[in-house]
Amino acid sequence: MTMETVSENKAFGGTQGVYSHASEETGTGMNFAVYVPPHADGAKLPVLWFLSGLTCTHANVMEKGEYRAACAEHGVILVAPDTSPRGDDVPDAEDEYDFGKGAGFYVDATEEPWAKHYRMRSYIERELPELIAARFPADMDRQGITGHSMGGHGALTIGLRNADRFRSVSAFAPIVAPSQVPWGEKALGRYLGDDRQAWREYDAVALIEDGARVPELLVDQGTADQFLEEQLKPELLAAACKDAGIEATIRMQEGYDHSYYFISTFMADHVAWHAARLG
């Protein structure tokens, strides 16, 4: 559980840190951000995971997400991992922003040359939580998960696959059915191969169709999002949740796009929503 501190800064009475460690899952060094709000000595705090989208690192939400005031108010730790393995030895698709580094899609790749390092599912579901539990005042019995775009896809699928672990699941402009849209077909096909049945555990709509359940979901989606019709398709998630009896609050936010201007506007709402469910 060796971890190095890259930086720590006081914010809203708590500590915003960036840390690094050598990951066994990805076989690389990995950076991640953690905000720990002010708290009493010995207290254990609920944890909210934020999974970032295509091209992003931990730094995007840390610098532009505007979550710290809400996390300090509600006493919630926020953890922001990277989106993919990094390093000179990690294969990449240099001319493709939506595949390779920065585009891990939170899967455990099975196809070469991706299988060795692109193990973001196991990294997020197992390895990093073990490190967070060991090194931070985290109550791992009270976890929620959220994310944006590709990270919204990650939050929904990880939350659905691990409903016993995550008490609350939300997303900002998520890719809800990657098996049915260009971003997802490209990523899942190249990371996992041609067997589309294997894709279903990385597709929120398919997981729900196959029986995965959470009590409720919160999704915010901008109506001016340039990716709305071709890549995101929230109506597919709404239909799947209706058929499954999942309470899905899908808020179409008029005039908002896909950027962090949108995310930061509604971030405090999401933190409060998770805090109410995490106790």
Side-chain angles (χ1 to χ4, degrees):
M1 292 294 177
T2 301
M3 181 185 80
E4 296 183 4
T5 300
V6 177
S7 64
E8 287 186 334
N9 298 92
K10 187 170 183 177
F12 293 94
T15 301
Q16 176 64 68
V18 177
Y19 308 94
S20 66
H21 73 117
S23 168
E24 293 182 0
E25 288 292 348
T26 69
T28 69
M30 295 292 286
N31 290 340
F32 61 96
V34 180
Y35 177 70
V36 179
H39 59 283
D41 289 345
K44 292 287 189 178
L45 307 178
V47 179
L48 177 59
W49 294 80
F50 184 93
L51 305 185
S52 292
L54 286 168
T55 76
C56 292
T57 70
H58 65 282
N60 296 77
V61 69
M62 186 180 74
E63 295 169 358
K64 297 183 286 188
E66 299 184 24
Y67 54 83
R68 280 173 285 268
C71 286
E73 176 184 353
H74 295 287
V76 174
I77 293 172
L78 189 136
V79 180
D82 203 346
T83 52
S84 75
R86 308 278 178 175
D88 293 340
D89 295 333
V90 175
D92 192 16
E94 294 183 1
D95 298 327
E96 303 174 66
Y97 78 96
D98 55 357
F99 192 78
K101 293 180 186 178
F105 271 81
Y106 304 98
V107 306
D108 280 354
T110 57
E111 297 294 298
E112 298 300 336
W114 317 105
K116 180 178 179 181
H117 297 294
Y118 284 78
R119 296 186 51 80
M120 292 302 295
R121 171 182 179 173
S122 291
Y123 179 71
I124 299 296
E125 289 187 350
R126 185 195 63 79
E127 185 176 19
L128 189 55
E130 290 178 2
L131 182 59
I132 297 299
R135 301 299 295 269
F136 296 92
D139 182 351
M140 304 305 280
D141 290 328
R142 293 187 290 161
Q143 295 186 72
I145 191 165
T146 188
H148 170 232
S149 193
M150 179 187 72
H153 141 76
L156 293 176
T157 56
I158 290 171
L160 284 162
R161 288 195 307 261
N162 299 276
D164 58 335
R165 183 188 309 176
F166 295 100
R167 294 190 187 181
S168 53
V169 182
S170 77
F172 299 85
I175 307 169
V176 305
S179 299
Q180 302 183 51
V181 301
W183 274 343
E185 289 182 320
K186 176 180 180 177
L188 299 181
R190 290 168 70 176
Y191 286 136
L192 303 175
D194 295 333
D195 180 5
R196 297 179 74 95
Q197 187 64 30
W199 300 7
R200 295 184 69 83
E201 61 187 293
Y202 297 107
D203 182 309
V205 168
L207 282 166
I208 293 169
E209 290 173 349
D210 292 345
R213 296 290 182 268
V214 292
E216 56 184 329
L217 295 171
L218 172 64
V219 172
D220 275 307
Q221 171 65 63
T223 63
D225 191 318
Q226 64 269 41
F227 304 113
L228 176 58
E229 293 185 6
E230 183 181 29
Q231 306 282 12
L232 305 179
K233 299 184 180 296
E235 67 277 6
L236 298 179
L237 179 65
C241 287
K242 182 179 179 179
D243 289 344
I246 296 172
E247 182 182 342
T249 302
I250 301 177
R251 307 189 299 192
M252 300 302 297
Q253 304 291 1
E254 186 65 32
Y256 285 91
D257 59 18
H258 201 69
S259 72
Y260 269 87
Y261 296 110
F262 158 63
I263 297 168
S264 63
T265 300
F266 300 102
M267 179 66 85
D269 284 355
H270 281 244
V271 172
W273 186 87
H274 285 275
R277 286 149 182 81
L278 298 177

